[in-house]
Each structure stands twice: as structure tokens, then as C-alpha cells.
Amino acid sequence: MRLRPLALGLLAMLTVVLSTARPGVAQSSPADRLVFNDQELFLSGGNVAWVNFARDIGPGRTRLSTFETIFEELNAHGGNAMRLWLHTTGATTPAWDGATVVGPGAGAIDDLRAILDAAWEHEIGLVLCLWSFDMLRISNGPTVTDRAFALLTDPTLTQTYVDNALTPMVEAVAGHPALVAWEIFNEPEGMSHEFGWAFNRHVAMEDIQRFVNMTAGAIHRADANALVTNGAWSFRSLTDTPVTLAAKRGSALTTAEVSQLQRGLSAKYAHPFSPEEARSFYETLSRSAAINYYTDERLVAAGGDELGVLDFYSVHYYEWGGTELSPFHHDYATWGLDKPLVVAEFFMGSGSDPDPDAVYGVPQEDLYPTLLERGYAGALAWQWYNYPNSAEGVINWPRILASTQRLYDQHRGAVDVQPGLRIASFQAEPTGIELGASATLSWRVSAASTVTLDGLPVDSVGTQTVRPDQTTTYTLEAVGLADTTSAQVTVSVLDPNQVNRAWRQPAVASSVETCCGVDATAHLAFDGDLSTRWSSAWHPDEADATPDDEWIYVDLGALLDIERVVLQWEAAYGLAYDLEVSFDGRLWTPVHEERAGDGGTDEIRFDEPATARYLRLHGLRRGTEWGFSLWEFEVYGTASARRPPAIALVAPVEGAIVQPGSDVTLRPAATDDDGRIAQVDLYIGSVRVSTQRTPPYTFTWRSVPPGDFALKAVAIDDDGLAVSTPPIQVFARPPVPFMRYEAEAATLAGDVSVEREAAGSSGTGYLFLRDSGTLTFTDVTVDTAGLYLLMLRYYLPFGYKAQYLNVNGERVAELGFDGPTNQWLTRGAQVALRAGPNTIQLEKYWGWMYVDYLGLGLEAVNVSTGPEPLLPTTTSLGESFPNPFASSATIPFTVATPGHVRVDVFDLTGRRVATLVDEVRTPGRHEVRFDARHLASGVYVSRLQTDTVQLTRPLLLVR
């Protein structure tokens, strides 16, 4: 539930109050608790840290569905708090004019409110961390680090941030019930002269103290009830109590100790620490004197603001600190602090200690209870939300959930948030069904002693599938200690011909109106809401060269015999348009023509049902100066008994590179479940080059000319139904000079090994990419920006594989590698490179293949005459993992261009069982969790739909 402004106002009484003393404010809670939601609580949770690093608020689209998944999982395991990073580097927010901050950033406050709303819906509080040491990470480039350096060192520029960004943000969310505290920095010591790391630029600790003082004072003025903290790197910068590391100097560490230290540091700081860097890190740690840089006196002395002090302390601990700096081995009182202390980052036993399941003898399952029993005020283990990728997710996130559950079971009173009795949500999906179909009821209730659904006891959070044989109203009742509340939903049983088959189905449009308020995206024509609309682009600012030639289509999810279509036009209607049907979303057949449209409501009835899975409105002429605009696009019909054929192009493989003048064999595979294949047509580009009527339907293309070609095959069955393969791109290039980058010379990370038995490889060996890891080719230099032919020589010992391709830090594609096993092959693709040095990275998606070299043509492709670039305009739907799965799976997908994205899951009957994403997403790689705990075992299908692409993949649920 998204809390509306009025609701937030009513909830303002549930504000966070001060838990420690600062000038003029009395102490109000013990040292081992913080006051949050008017309760004295021990913070128990983890670090959401980020979903999209440094981009979770501000320009772009916040991935609320992922945040909701995180918060829901933590709440279900008894957790109550998480730590979220906001600006982080300053690359996205705040808004800058040179080194001067001019605002919070477009959409930053709205995004922050939305995340807080989602957290509170699941009774999770957030510690909002503003900045990280990453703001001076050298790899960010001079634009980011120069202005961040100026912000930290120049008080005048700091004040622009306070006035124009920080204060508006604090005022906007003051009193939000999910707000635990503001945190100024994440480990600022990492960018200091005194402690700083080699991959960062450095400022003085005095600059950091002044910045903390100025921003903490501003927060306290903007919200008198706000709590402020700061995330210290270790007790070395947070205590005046003498602490001496018993371990060796960095120069005396053994090779094994250095290796263990490297692994822990590299995992934490996303930087491949060399042995020398690891030794230097430890040397600095062992020599530095312990001092609390964040006492009231020292902060006020640095910045002069009496209100610029902390309300509680936060510390991080990693196992390179040994037992001497461990909160798990020392009581809170050891450190001589005058304010509560939250341990806000630590590994769940998988750090530098050789024992992966313990922290120097403390078992991972005892870490949370140990901190509570030793007098600390919170335990937030380290995790950015990338489960189940890498150790962060495979180890830490599941252990965090198990630990918060253990703490909840043992000390419920210390961690249980009591928000008050309410039914947060109760809904049916869908609300109208045909006889024999099902709807899913879902609900979430807080602070209830009992919950009943139509009089029968149910859990406070749950779902139930219903199959009413007549229109039925369901009642959910919640009973608290002194109150009762209820809610109702109705599921209508309709005649099959009254069921709108297009309702909330995936939709794609040729263009979207973005000029005039809320983007009029395609899915808004299928949401059942007559106040929302799709409109095509028409405004000059949208640079649409053909505003009269536009289309929108819907994927009906299953093959239907369509009997009627209802188009409810907005004022901007279609004067001339066609209705077209398709079985595959690629081949379209007209079934209705309109040449004198007059707007209003068009109801088209077919004398004979039009069989299709996809239905498209193809606009040919606008009726007004604006675009084509629909309030709703409705489709009515029943399931069809007809079945189209199936076809795949087996050879050549995607990205094949062939010599001009050679022969290429096109080899399709076609089947028909309810009849026979009448013919298979083979195309090169848009030209049909062969029609085959008997198996094996192959065609040999003789003497291939130079060029880049798109090949496809079309199957037509004995019922006249036709389907097409997606186009396969083939590069016919003469031998031209290219730069070769041997894979064994790349920078390697993860489970990648150099194999020296180089039979058939081009250099001294090749790489074996297994179950994790990356190959990074740096300094791939070109003189001119443009599209270049990339060649990857590979070997498949285990059959088809797919890997991620990253260019200059951005994921641009999921590359498939196909072809015969146990022989060296070459795969081509086009990549957009900038002039000068570039970084190209092959990252494990499936892994388990060999890589010999990366080749790059020395001349850019002529964009004006060449083919459409394969990259970076590739949108893909990845294989879910795990697959098969028992209760939940993660579905990865990549978006090439910004736009509306929808990810759904269907069962084999075509019934949608979940909508996981339904919003605008920015380019790049995304992930979404699919929770199938309420579903039966079986095969399901995930489907990704954008404005230009529709993709599906199977998932296997096994109980």
C-alpha cells in the first residue's frame, strides 16, 4: 500500500523520538535500545544498502518491487530495520551546477517517500545513509570526484548542499513512521589522509568532522525529532579506549594470512585488493591510534554548530580487525562511549577468519543474540541486495534472515514493531472470472490477535485461491486487543464472452507520448481504468517522424478465438486504422479495416472469430493533430482449439561470422501438433529465397556476398497458420585486420582458470569460465567512436551457454553461444565504443565454457548503411535461478533502453499467477524475486514485455 499524504499526516504521531542526549534535549531510552515507532527497540536486520548502486533515488525509476520483496522477506523473518544508501557517490543525486548543489535531484524526494512507504507497509524502519567513501573513489572519474572533493573541503559549497538538497529532503519525510535515523557517512575514514585506501582520493579527518557537524545540525533544525548517526569504519575511529592489535605488522603477515585478508577486503569494498594493498591496509590499521572522532566536543570544534552532534553511534566490524576490535568479544561498555551503539555492518561468518561459519569462535547463528546480550543497540549485517549472487547473497542474506528470526523467537519484546491494528491490503486478482476459472485473494494485516476470512481462521499475511460458481463477496475481519476492523472484495462470475481477455495483459506500442505530464505508456490502455490512457508520440519535442503510422498490440497470453474488440478512444482518435492478428508477435494479418473513424467507442464484431494470441491496432491516419490515444483496448473471445506450428532456425547460429563467397546452409526445425507443416519459407532480410515443402526444409545459400544479414524462417501449417523465427544475424566479412586480446592476458576474477593445454587455441592457452567470475579486457582502444565488430572465439564442452557482456561498466547484452560442442567457434556482435580506451568484460551468466580471445575490427561500421546494431540495444530475459526451485526464484532481465517493463509469470493454462514488475525501468541489468510458496508444483512461464520486445522462459517449481 502506498501511503497517501493524508495517511502520512495521521501517522505523524508515530514519530521517531530522540534516544540520546544532545544540547537541550533529555535522554529518553537506555543505551541498548533506540526509540523508533514510540517503542524502545533493538534494531535487527541488515543492509539493503542499494538495489541500484547510487541510483535508488533521483533520475530514473526506483525499483519499488525489489524493495518490497526485500522488506517483505525481512518482516517475515522477524526483522525490523535496514540501512539504505542514498546519494552514495553523488553521481546521480543531488543535482549539481558545477561543484554547487542546486537541488535534491529530479524525483529524489518522491522516490524516498515511496521507499519509506514500502518499508512501513512491512513494518520495517530505515536508517538513511547519505554519503559513502565511494564519493572519492578514483574510478568514478574526475567529474564526480572533483565536485565531491570540493563539497567536503569547502564550507561554502557544503552549505549549498545543506540548503538546496538536505534540508528539503529532511522536511519532506519528517515524521514518517519508517524513518529510524539519518546517517551522514558510510565509512568516511576510507577517504581520509589518516586511514584512506589507495583506490580513493583523500581529505583530512577534520574535513569529514566539519561536514558531519554541519549536516547533523541541519537535520536537527529541519526535524527536531530526527536521530542522526555516522557509520564509522571500525573502533579505531570511534573510541578513545586504547586498543592494541595483537596480530603482526602487515609486512610480517604470512602468505595465507594475506590471501585471507585479500578475500575479505575485496568482497567488502568491491575492489580487487593486491597482496601489497592488503598488507598496507593492515599496516595502517595496526599503527593508528584509537580516537573517537565523533564526540560532541570534537564535532562542534570542527564545525561550530552546537546542534551538529550524533544521537547514537554506528560501527562496522570485519574480521581483519581480529578479536581486539570485535563487538562479539567485548561488551558495549568496553569502548567508553556515552551513546547507544549499533553494529551496522559485519559478515555473517564468511570474512577473513578461516572458519567460514563463525567469527573467531562465535558461531554465525549466535552473532545477533551476542550483540544484544553484550549491550549493543542493534545488529545490521552487511548485504547489498544481490541474492543469490556471490557470497553477499548466497551466505549473508539467508543467514541474516535466519538470525533475525532466531532473535525474534528468543527476544520478541526487544525487536517486535507494533504498528497498531489495520488491514493494510485485501484484494482479488482478477475481480471478474468465467465459470471454472480462479481468482487469488491476498491480504496483509498488522497487530491482530485473530484474522478470519469468511469466518475461518487465516494467517495475518496470506493468499487463497477461490473458484466461485457465482458472484461472491468475501469478508476479511481482524480483531485486536480493543478493536475490530473488516474489509470486503467481490469476485464476479461472468459469461465467457463478457471477460475482457486483454485486461492487464502485456502490451507494446510503437511510441509513447512523454511530452505532457505522466507518460502515456502502452499498458495503461489495458488496466481497466478509464482515467488512464495510452497515447502515441506526436509532439515536435518527441521527434516522431511518422506520427500517422503508429501501433499498439497486446499479448493475450493464450490462443483465443476473438469475437469482438472494443476501442474506447480519448479525444485524439484514429481516422484510419487496421486490426491485425498474430500467433508469434512477428507476422501480422489484417482482420478489420476502418477508414472513417469518428472517435468515441468503436465496437468491432467478427462474423467468424479471428484466432490469435496477439492483437494489434495499427494506426494509419490520425483524426486530430495529436497522436492516437485510447482510454481502453478490450478484447473478448474464448479459448481456441486451433494450434499454430512451431519453428526454430537451428543453423546458422546467432552471430556467426562467415567468409564472403562461402556457402551457408539454413537449417530450420518445424513441427505441428494438430496437423502437418505445409511449407517452410526461408528469408534473407525481407527477401524470400526458398520455399520448402518436405523435411528437412534446408536451403544452401551459395556464394554469400559481403555484408551483415538477418536470416529467418517461416512455417505455415495445413490450416494456414503461420509463425516466424526471430531474425538471426550473420556477418559475412572478408579477412580484415583486427586487434586480438588474448583471454589469458585479461584481468580475471572469480572461478576462472588459465588452461595451458592449448590444443586449437590461438595463443599460449585459453580460459575456463566456470561457475562464477569475469574476464575484463582493459584499454581496448579505438580512434573513432562508433559501432565495431566484436569477435569472441569460444569452445563449448557442455553445449549452449549464455554470458553477460559489459562495455565501459554497463551491461549491454546477454550473449548466447551456440553450435557444435568440443570445437573452437567464433561469435560476432556489434558493440558501440567511444573514442580512446574502452573496457570490455565477459561476465558469467551460465559459465562453463572456454574463451580463447577477444577480437575487435579496426574499422568502425558505417552506421548509415550498415545493419541495426546488435548492441547495446539488446533487451533479454535471463534464466531464473535456481531452476528448478522449491519456493522462490530470482528472474534476471536486461533492459536496453528506458521504458515501461512488465514481468509476469503464467501457468501452463495461460493464467497469470504473478505480476512482478509493471513500471518504467532504466537501461541495465535488473532482478526480481518470484515467490511461489502458495503455488502448486509444475511448469510456469516467465514473460518480459517492453515497448519493443516480448520474451519468455520456463520455470520448474518442485516441492
Side-chain angles (χ1 to χ4, degrees), residues 29 128 146 328 344 625 732 926:
S29 73
L128 303 176
D146 284 353
F328 303 105
E625 62 184 295
H926 307 262

Side-chain angles (χ1 to χ4, degrees), residues 386-409:
N386 60 343
Y387 177 79
N389 293 333
S390 78
E392 296 283 350
V394 173
I395 297 174
N396 275 6
W397 184 241
R399 288 184 172 184
I400 287 172
L401 297 180
S403 297
T404 55
Q405 185 67 61
R406 180 183 178 95
L407 195 60
Y408 182 87
D409 293 341

Side-chain angles (χ1 to χ4, degrees), residues 72 208 384 438 477 500 651 938:
E72 182 178 13
I208 292 167
W384 74 79
S438 66
E477 184 174 77
N500 177 13

Side-chain angles (χ1 to χ4, degrees), residues 583-717:
F583 300 107
D584 57 15
R586 290 182 284 271
L587 297 179
W588 296 95
T589 301
V591 291
H592 174 76
E593 293 184 354
E594 175 60 69
R595 296 298 180 267
D598 57 1
T601 299
D602 290 348
E603 183 169 356
I604 298 99
R605 294 180 178 269
F606 299 104
D607 294 334
E608 293 292 332
T611 304
R613 174 168 173 165
Y614 302 88
L615 179 65
R616 181 166 75 175
L617 168 71
H618 189 171
L620 303 174
R621 185 177 177 187
R622 295 169 293 161
T624 70
E625 62 184 295
W626 302 291
F628 297 90
S629 185
L630 285 168
W631 292 118
E632 284 298 303
F633 186 159
E634 302 169 7
V635 182
Y636 297 88
T638 56
S640 178
R642 304 175 75 186
R643 292 292 179 267
I647 188 166
L649 195 56
V650 178
V653 297
E654 171 67 37
I657 300 176
V658 301
Q659 294 292 327
S662 63
D663 297 341
V664 173
T665 298
L666 282 67
R667 184 176 297 112
T671 59
D672 185 42
D673 290 341
D674 63 348
R676 62 179 179 82
I677 299 294
Q679 69 185 59
V680 172
D681 295 331
L682 299 165
Y683 288 80
I684 300 174
S686 60
V687 177
R688 184 172 63 182
V689 296
S690 176
T691 295
Q692 304 286 324
R693 291 185 170 82
T694 58
Y697 310 117
T698 57
F699 168 73
T700 300
W701 182 16
R702 304 289 184 185
S703 300
V704 176
D708 299 343
F709 303 94
L711 314 180
K712 71 176 182 180
V714 174
I716 304 172
D717 69 7

